[in-house]
Amino acid sequence: MVSGRYKIVIFKSERTPRYPQVVKTVRSSLEKLGLDLEVEEVDVSKNPERAVREGIISTPTIDIVGLNWRFIGLPTEDELMAVLESLKEEGETRGKEE
Amino acid sequence: MARRSSSSSGFMAELKERIISEARVLESPGERTPTGIRGFDELVRGGLFRGATYLLSGVSGAGKSIFCLEFLYRGAAEYGEPGLYVSLEEHLDSILRNARNFRWDMKSLIDRQMLVLLDLSAVAVGERALSLNPDMFALDGLYTTIETAVKEGGIKRVVLDPISVLFLQYGNVGVVRRELNVISGMLKRHGCTSIFVTETEHGKPSITRFGVEEFMADGVFILYWEPEGEKRSRYIEIYKMRGSSHYEGKKRFSVTDNGIVILY
């Protein structure tokens, strides 16, 4: 599977607009695509060094680690799935090779 | 329901920030800190108000970055006030190259942590694949990054250069303005005197590019240039200085190897 190389980090804070919706969108997108990726939630106000180190300016930011892709704000499920789709394709290709 | 609760808590947080900031201003009205820029402090009758946020607006090539670098350099070298430069557009090596044109020992200040440079240019200008929903965000990453640097470094002067990048990138002027107000409130609480930089377009009469930046500042300074024969002359105007009288009209300035000098 692709889960070893990729993971999703969601950056949030107390003031992040509609944060529960962000998490729900990420999880349901993964589920619909059948992707088993680790999802890490980072509160930048409690973990400022992560914000500094990873250059996070705004929340919510959804960082798809390994794919060099970030969503800022709340994406629609379709937008998120369109990007994650490439991981699914990669996983399927690898599965066939193995 | 969730939306209502989220925006309501955001509003309350902003309101609280503002009340605290205003209360602090009332506690210590009028305490000034000189910029150290030759001739400028006289224009604003003795320097900037400590803990206030100022807007520096100007066209490309007007001298905004030099003004900001000198504000931080003089603060650290002459007034013992550690400074933080947050670059949202220009890479740090380019800023430092610019600083080498002057007789300023920036390296020593950086080594002694009297000057902290934060390069967020790659993030702000989006040097990676990025999808953006401009209606649903808070600038909390920027807030926490700045606050961490301010707390850890005992920072007293802050430059955010340029905020116009945030307006351009996020598009939602109202939300960016609200978020910058929250950051300004945080800087006030920490007693930081701050300059937010914004760019204007040459030949257009507006004070600021988006028409809202001036409303969140305690003072507004405008830099521009005019052609004079084959050369360009630089000018500065104090457009607004809350709580103080100031020089009215434009003043010419030059950039020497020791920084800015206000002329006549």
PDB file of all heavy atoms in Angstrom, chain A residues 20-35:
ATOM      1  N   PRO A  20     -14.285  20.627  12.539  1.00  0.00           N
ATOM      2  CA  PRO A  20     -14.836  19.258  12.476  1.00  0.00           C
ATOM      3  C   PRO A  20     -15.188  18.852  11.044  1.00  0.00           C
ATOM      4  O   PRO A  20     -15.021  17.690  10.662  1.00  0.00           O
ATOM      5  CB  PRO A  20     -16.092  19.338  13.358  1.00  0.00           C
ATOM      6  CG  PRO A  20     -15.832  20.483  14.278  1.00  0.00           C
ATOM      7  CD  PRO A  20     -15.034  21.471  13.480  1.00  0.00           C
ATOM      8  N   GLN A  21     -15.642  19.815  10.257  1.00  0.00           N
ATOM      9  CA  GLN A  21     -16.000  19.523   8.872  1.00  0.00           C
ATOM     10  C   GLN A  21     -14.761  19.145   8.056  1.00  0.00           C
ATOM     11  O   GLN A  21     -14.812  18.292   7.162  1.00  0.00           O
ATOM     12  CB  GLN A  21     -16.691  20.757   8.261  1.00  0.00           C
ATOM     13  CG  GLN A  21     -17.208  20.565   6.858  1.00  0.00           C
ATOM     14  CD  GLN A  21     -18.286  19.483   6.779  1.00  0.00           C
ATOM     15  OE1 GLN A  21     -19.108  19.364   7.676  1.00  0.00           O
ATOM     16  NE2 GLN A  21     -18.258  18.687   5.718  1.00  0.00           N
ATOM     17  N   VAL A  22     -13.633  19.777   8.382  1.00  0.00           N
ATOM     18  CA  VAL A  22     -12.373  19.477   7.678  1.00  0.00           C
ATOM     19  C   VAL A  22     -11.987  18.017   7.920  1.00  0.00           C
ATOM     20  O   VAL A  22     -11.690  17.265   6.983  1.00  0.00           O
ATOM     21  CB  VAL A  22     -11.226  20.407   8.164  1.00  0.00           C
ATOM     22  CG1 VAL A  22      -9.912  20.051   7.483  1.00  0.00           C
ATOM     23  CG2 VAL A  22     -11.572  21.870   7.908  1.00  0.00           C
ATOM     24  N   VAL A  23     -12.015  17.615   9.189  1.00  0.00           N
ATOM     25  CA  VAL A  23     -11.631  16.243   9.550  1.00  0.00           C
ATOM     26  C   VAL A  23     -12.589  15.247   8.890  1.00  0.00           C
ATOM     27  O   VAL A  23     -12.155  14.228   8.330  1.00  0.00           O
ATOM     28  CB  VAL A  23     -11.635  16.064  11.087  1.00  0.00           C
ATOM     29  CG1 VAL A  23     -11.313  14.625  11.456  1.00  0.00           C
ATOM     30  CG2 VAL A  23     -10.635  17.010  11.731  1.00  0.00           C
ATOM     31  N   LYS A  24     -13.873  15.590   8.928  1.00  0.00           N
ATOM     32  CA  LYS A  24     -14.881  14.698   8.343  1.00  0.00           C
ATOM     33  C   LYS A  24     -14.637  14.522   6.840  1.00  0.00           C
ATOM     34  O   LYS A  24     -14.704  13.406   6.314  1.00  0.00           O
ATOM     35  CB  LYS A  24     -16.272  15.317   8.584  1.00  0.00           C
ATOM     36  CG  LYS A  24     -17.409  14.383   8.357  1.00  0.00           C
ATOM     37  CD  LYS A  24     -18.714  15.088   8.738  1.00  0.00           C
ATOM     38  CE  LYS A  24     -19.869  14.422   8.024  1.00  0.00           C
ATOM     39  NZ  LYS A  24     -21.105  15.199   8.140  1.00  0.00           N
ATOM     40  N   THR A  25     -14.329  15.633   6.166  1.00  0.00           N
ATOM     41  CA  THR A  25     -14.086  15.584   4.714  1.00  0.00           C
ATOM     42  C   THR A  25     -12.872  14.712   4.395  1.00  0.00           C
ATOM     43  O   THR A  25     -12.899  13.900   3.461  1.00  0.00           O
ATOM     44  CB  THR A  25     -13.865  17.012   4.157  1.00  0.00           C
ATOM     45  OG1 THR A  25     -15.002  17.800   4.483  1.00  0.00           O
ATOM     46  CG2 THR A  25     -13.671  17.012   2.651  1.00  0.00           C
ATOM     47  N   VAL A  26     -11.810  14.876   5.181  1.00  0.00           N
ATOM     48  CA  VAL A  26     -10.590  14.083   4.951  1.00  0.00           C
ATOM     49  C   VAL A  26     -10.888  12.603   5.143  1.00  0.00           C
ATOM     50  O   VAL A  26     -10.570  11.764   4.289  1.00  0.00           O
ATOM     51  CB  VAL A  26      -9.454  14.537   5.902  1.00  0.00           C
ATOM     52  CG1 VAL A  26      -8.292  13.553   5.875  1.00  0.00           C
ATOM     53  CG2 VAL A  26      -8.962  15.932   5.517  1.00  0.00           C
ATOM     54  N   ARG A  27     -11.515  12.281   6.261  1.00  0.00           N
ATOM     55  CA  ARG A  27     -11.746  10.860   6.582  1.00  0.00           C
ATOM     56  C   ARG A  27     -12.707  10.207   5.584  1.00  0.00           C
ATOM     57  O   ARG A  27     -12.493   9.079   5.153  1.00  0.00           O
ATOM     58  CB  ARG A  27     -12.263  10.729   8.012  1.00  0.00           C
ATOM     59  CG  ARG A  27     -11.198  11.141   9.027  1.00  0.00           C
ATOM     60  CD  ARG A  27     -11.384  10.488  10.384  1.00  0.00           C
ATOM     61  NE  ARG A  27     -10.378  10.948  11.327  1.00  0.00           N
ATOM     62  CZ  ARG A  27      -9.173  10.430  11.455  1.00  0.00           C
ATOM     63  NH1 ARG A  27      -8.798   9.428  10.692  1.00  0.00           N
ATOM     64  NH2 ARG A  27      -8.305  10.922  12.346  1.00  0.00           N
ATOM     65  N   SER A  28     -13.750  10.937   5.194  1.00  0.00           N
ATOM     66  CA  SER A  28     -14.700  10.311   4.261  1.00  0.00           C
ATOM     67  C   SER A  28     -14.087  10.187   2.868  1.00  0.00           C
ATOM     68  O   SER A  28     -14.371   9.227   2.145  1.00  0.00           O
ATOM     69  CB  SER A  28     -16.024  11.074   4.235  1.00  0.00           C
ATOM     70  OG  SER A  28     -15.915  12.217   3.452  1.00  0.00           O
ATOM     71  N   SER A  29     -13.203  11.103   2.484  1.00  0.00           N
ATOM     72  CA  SER A  29     -12.532  10.995   1.185  1.00  0.00           C
ATOM     73  C   SER A  29     -11.632   9.757   1.151  1.00  0.00           C
ATOM     74  O   SER A  29     -11.608   9.007   0.169  1.00  0.00           O
ATOM     75  CB  SER A  29     -11.673  12.235   0.906  1.00  0.00           C
ATOM     76  OG  SER A  29     -12.463  13.380   0.890  1.00  0.00           O
ATOM     77  N   LEU A  30     -10.901   9.562   2.242  1.00  0.00           N
ATOM     78  CA  LEU A  30     -10.014   8.391   2.320  1.00  0.00           C
ATOM     79  C   LEU A  30     -10.825   7.101   2.269  1.00  0.00           C
ATOM     80  O   LEU A  30     -10.453   6.142   1.577  1.00  0.00           O
ATOM     81  CB  LEU A  30      -9.178   8.449   3.608  1.00  0.00           C
ATOM     82  CG  LEU A  30      -8.092   9.527   3.669  1.00  0.00           C
ATOM     83  CD1 LEU A  30      -7.470   9.572   5.059  1.00  0.00           C
ATOM     84  CD2 LEU A  30      -7.010   9.276   2.615  1.00  0.00           C
ATOM     85  N   GLU A  31     -11.920   7.135   2.989  1.00  0.00           N
ATOM     86  CA  GLU A  31     -12.767   5.940   3.056  1.00  0.00           C
ATOM     87  C   GLU A  31     -13.336   5.601   1.681  1.00  0.00           C
ATOM     88  O   GLU A  31     -13.308   4.450   1.246  1.00  0.00           O
ATOM     89  CB  GLU A  31     -13.885   6.184   4.061  1.00  0.00           C
ATOM     90  CG  GLU A  31     -14.598   4.919   4.501  1.00  0.00           C
ATOM     91  CD  GLU A  31     -15.685   5.236   5.522  1.00  0.00           C
ATOM     92  OE1 GLU A  31     -15.406   5.969   6.493  1.00  0.00           O
ATOM     93  OE2 GLU A  31     -16.821   4.770   5.314  1.00  0.00           O
ATOM     94  N   LYS A  32     -13.824   6.633   0.989  1.00  0.00           N
ATOM     95  CA  LYS A  32     -14.426   6.387  -0.324  1.00  0.00           C
ATOM     96  C   LYS A  32     -13.395   5.868  -1.328  1.00  0.00           C
ATOM     97  O   LYS A  32     -13.732   5.109  -2.232  1.00  0.00           O
ATOM     98  CB  LYS A  32     -15.065   7.669  -0.856  1.00  0.00           C
ATOM     99  CG  LYS A  32     -16.402   7.953  -0.201  1.00  0.00           C
ATOM    100  CD  LYS A  32     -17.063   9.176  -0.767  1.00  0.00           C
ATOM    101  CE  LYS A  32     -18.372   9.438  -0.030  1.00  0.00           C
ATOM    102  NZ  LYS A  32     -18.977  10.712  -0.389  1.00  0.00           N
ATOM    103  N   LEU A  33     -12.159   6.300  -1.166  1.00  0.00           N
ATOM    104  CA  LEU A  33     -11.101   5.857  -2.086  1.00  0.00           C
ATOM    105  C   LEU A  33     -10.454   4.548  -1.618  1.00  0.00           C
ATOM    106  O   LEU A  33      -9.612   3.976  -2.315  1.00  0.00           O
ATOM    107  CB  LEU A  33     -10.029   6.938  -2.223  1.00  0.00           C
ATOM    108  CG  LEU A  33     -10.443   8.209  -2.978  1.00  0.00           C
ATOM    109  CD1 LEU A  33      -9.400   9.301  -2.819  1.00  0.00           C
ATOM    110  CD2 LEU A  33     -10.656   7.911  -4.454  1.00  0.00           C
ATOM    111  N   GLY A  34     -10.800   4.119  -0.414  1.00  0.00           N
ATOM    112  CA  GLY A  34     -10.217   2.901   0.136  1.00  0.00           C
ATOM    113  C   GLY A  34      -8.742   3.059   0.470  1.00  0.00           C
ATOM    114  O   GLY A  34      -7.963   2.106   0.391  1.00  0.00           O
ATOM    115  N   LEU A  35      -8.353   4.269   0.843  1.00  0.00           N
ATOM    116  CA  LEU A  35      -6.950   4.529   1.179  1.00  0.00           C
ATOM    117  C   LEU A  35      -6.749   4.442   2.689  1.00  0.00           C
ATOM    118  O   LEU A  35      -7.513   5.033   3.461  1.00  0.00           O
ATOM    119  CB  LEU A  35      -6.532   5.923   0.691  1.00  0.00           C
ATOM    120  CG  LEU A  35      -6.292   6.092  -0.804  1.00  0.00           C
ATOM    121  CD1 LEU A  35      -6.167   7.566  -1.156  1.00  0.00           C
ATOM    122  CD2 LEU A  35      -5.036   5.350  -1.235  1.00  0.00           C
TER     123      LEU A  35
END
